[in-house]
């Protein structure tokens, strides 16, 4: 089972993976401290591990608050060790993290930071700051745009359409409006904007699956000829990388 919790400070998401039978929980980026604490106590859960999707402070800042001495281990990618601090387990691409019946595969997705990871189950993808609803992470704080492109192209886009996207922040509305700039007539983008606005009214979190992202997320559509035809300022016969970089630069200043 997994629960998404929004931070009381803004747009960060934390995730709690848990087993009702054992009372054990795994915390992913547990910065939504009040919400996480309340959820753990209401369900009588104790954290056995914490995993950080990368080393930025808005994802790691509450590790110590939830690490109950030696009972709770802290996991992160080996390349994020310098930022996260002492890691009880240094993760690498392909590693499996378990919580009861739940198995999460570690996918190393450098780009937003060198040590960024995503976590894949059979139902969902926890994507940290690598992939957002209708967008992707920036590379302005220790990142590398070429690596981000390669991670998205080679590791995330090929994943099954059915996987639910569980990102590290809610930037959905802003990202969708950015996507609409290039395709003002796109029905799917407008429908998703209307849906996301509706979730604000009903106090729900905007959801999506990878199959949807493939239809409107510009950072998944760097080789879509229709979309490329609408862009200005690209070289003749642009590569996927040219298009991705173009979107990333425009989004940075948008
Ligand atoms: Zn970050």
């Amino acid at each position: 089972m997994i629960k998404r919790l929004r931070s009381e400070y803004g747009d960060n998401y934390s995730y709690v993976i848990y087993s009702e039978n054992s009372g054990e929980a795994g915390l992913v980026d547990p910065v939504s401290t009040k919400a996480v604490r309340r959820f753990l106590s209401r369900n009588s859960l104790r954290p056995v591990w914490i995993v950080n999707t990368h080393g930025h402070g808005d994802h790691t800042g509450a590790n110590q608050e939830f690490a109950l001495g030696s009972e709770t281990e802290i996991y992160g990618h080996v390349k994020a060790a310098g930022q996260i601090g002492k890691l009880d387990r240094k993760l690498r691409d392909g590693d499996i993290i378990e919580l009861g019946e739940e198995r999460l595969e570690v996918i190393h997705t450098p780009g937003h930071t060198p040590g960024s990871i995503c976590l894949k189950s059979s139902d969902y993808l926890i994507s940290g700051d690598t992939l957002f609803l209708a967008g992707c992470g920036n590379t302005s704080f220790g990142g590398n745009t070429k690596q981000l492109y390669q991670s998205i192209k080679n590791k995330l886009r090929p994943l099954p359409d059915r996987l639910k996207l569980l990102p590290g922040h809610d930037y959905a509305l802003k990202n969708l409006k950015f996507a609409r700039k290039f395709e003002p007539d796109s029905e799917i983008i407008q429908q998703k904007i209307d849906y996301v606005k509706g979730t604000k009214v009903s106090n729900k979190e905007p959801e999506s699956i990878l199959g949807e992202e493939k239809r409107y997320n510009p950072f998944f559509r760097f080789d879509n000829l229709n979309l490329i035809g609408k862009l200005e300022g690209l070289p003749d016969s642009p590569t996927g990388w040219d298009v991705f970089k173009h979107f990333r630069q425009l989004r940075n200043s948008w």
Side-chain angles (χ1 to χ4, degrees):
M1 312 255 272
I2 181 162
K3 177 73 179 173
R4 165 165 32 188
L5 297 163
R6 179 183 281 260
S7 166
E8 55 274 23
Y9 308 117
D11 51 39
N12 271 85
Y13 288 129
S14 300
Y15 296 94
V16 181
I17 293 135
Y18 61 103
S19 159
E20 283 177 328
N21 291 337
S22 68
E24 292 183 336
L27 312 182
V28 181
D29 296 343
V31 289
S32 310
T33 49
K34 272 190 198 159
V36 171
R37 218 181 301 129
R38 197 181 314 131
F39 186 77
L40 292 177
S41 74
R42 276 190 189 160
N43 294 283
S44 306
L45 299 170
R46 59 179 197 289
V48 292
W49 50 254
I50 294 170
V51 58
N52 295 128
T53 58
H54 61 293
H56 285 159
D58 61 330
H59 296 255
T60 63
N63 280 3
Q64 292 313 320
E65 178 174 344
F66 289 104
L68 306 173
S70 58
E71 273 181 51
T72 313
E73 300 201 312
I74 296 177
Y75 304 165
H77 191 268
V78 59
K79 288 194 173 165
Q83 282 182 307
I84 297 174
K86 184 181 167 292
L87 291 176
D88 297 299
R89 183 173 168 195
K90 290 179 178 158
L91 301 171
R92 290 182 169 78
D93 191 59
D95 283 356
I96 302 291
I97 303 174
E98 288 179 304
L99 193 286
E101 303 283 287
E102 200 83 3
R103 286 166 60 83
L104 299 175
E105 182 189 338
V106 174
I107 306 177
H108 182 213
T109 49
H112 176 64
T113 67
S116 287
I117 55 169
C118 295
L119 300 169
K120 181 176 90 69
S121 83
S122 53
D123 301 321
Y124 55 79
L125 179 75
I126 296 176
S127 59
D129 287 3
T130 298
L131 184 67
F132 298 122
L133 196 156
C136 74
N138 67 54
T139 54
S140 310
F141 304 97
N144 178 305
T145 307
K146 187 81 180 258
Q147 283 186 343
L148 183 62
Y149 166 66
Q150 287 164 342
S151 291
I152 288 180
K153 175 174 184 255
N154 301 326
K155 292 190 164 170
L156 298 188
R157 199 173 68 160
L159 295 176
D161 286 0
R162 67 165 194 282
L163 294 184
K164 195 169 158 179
L165 180 65
L166 298 175
H169 294 267
D170 173 19
Y171 300 144
L173 199 52
K174 193 166 183 195
N175 285 339
L176 285 162
K177 287 179 177 173
F178 176 76
R180 186 173 62 182
K181 245 167 66 91
F182 308 100
E183 296 177 287
D185 302 327
S186 163
E187 275 181 34
I188 180 163
I189 294 176
Q190 191 54 50
Q191 281 168 4
K192 198 75 187 178
I193 287 175
D194 294 342
Y195 157 77
V196 172
K197 284 182 176 168
T199 63
K200 307 266 176 224
V201 177
S202 56
N203 224 1
K204 295 202 169 107
E205 299 303 341
E207 300 196 350
S208 80
I209 57 170
L210 291 190
E212 287 180 280
E213 295 301 317
K214 290 171 191 177
R215 296 174 67 198
Y216 56 63
N217 189 329
F219 296 95
F220 260 15
R221 301 174 69 232
F222 44 78
D223 49 8
N224 183 289
L225 295 178
N226 241 336
L227 177 57
I228 292 169
K230 294 178 176 147
L231 303 177
E232 288 169 15
L234 286 172
D236 292 341
S237 314
T239 63
W241 160 236
D242 291 326
V243 176
F244 186 94
K245 185 173 55 173
H246 183 75
F247 279 131
R248 190 57 264 170
Q249 283 166 350
L250 291 175
R251 181 66 178 81
N252 286 347
S253 55
W254 188 70

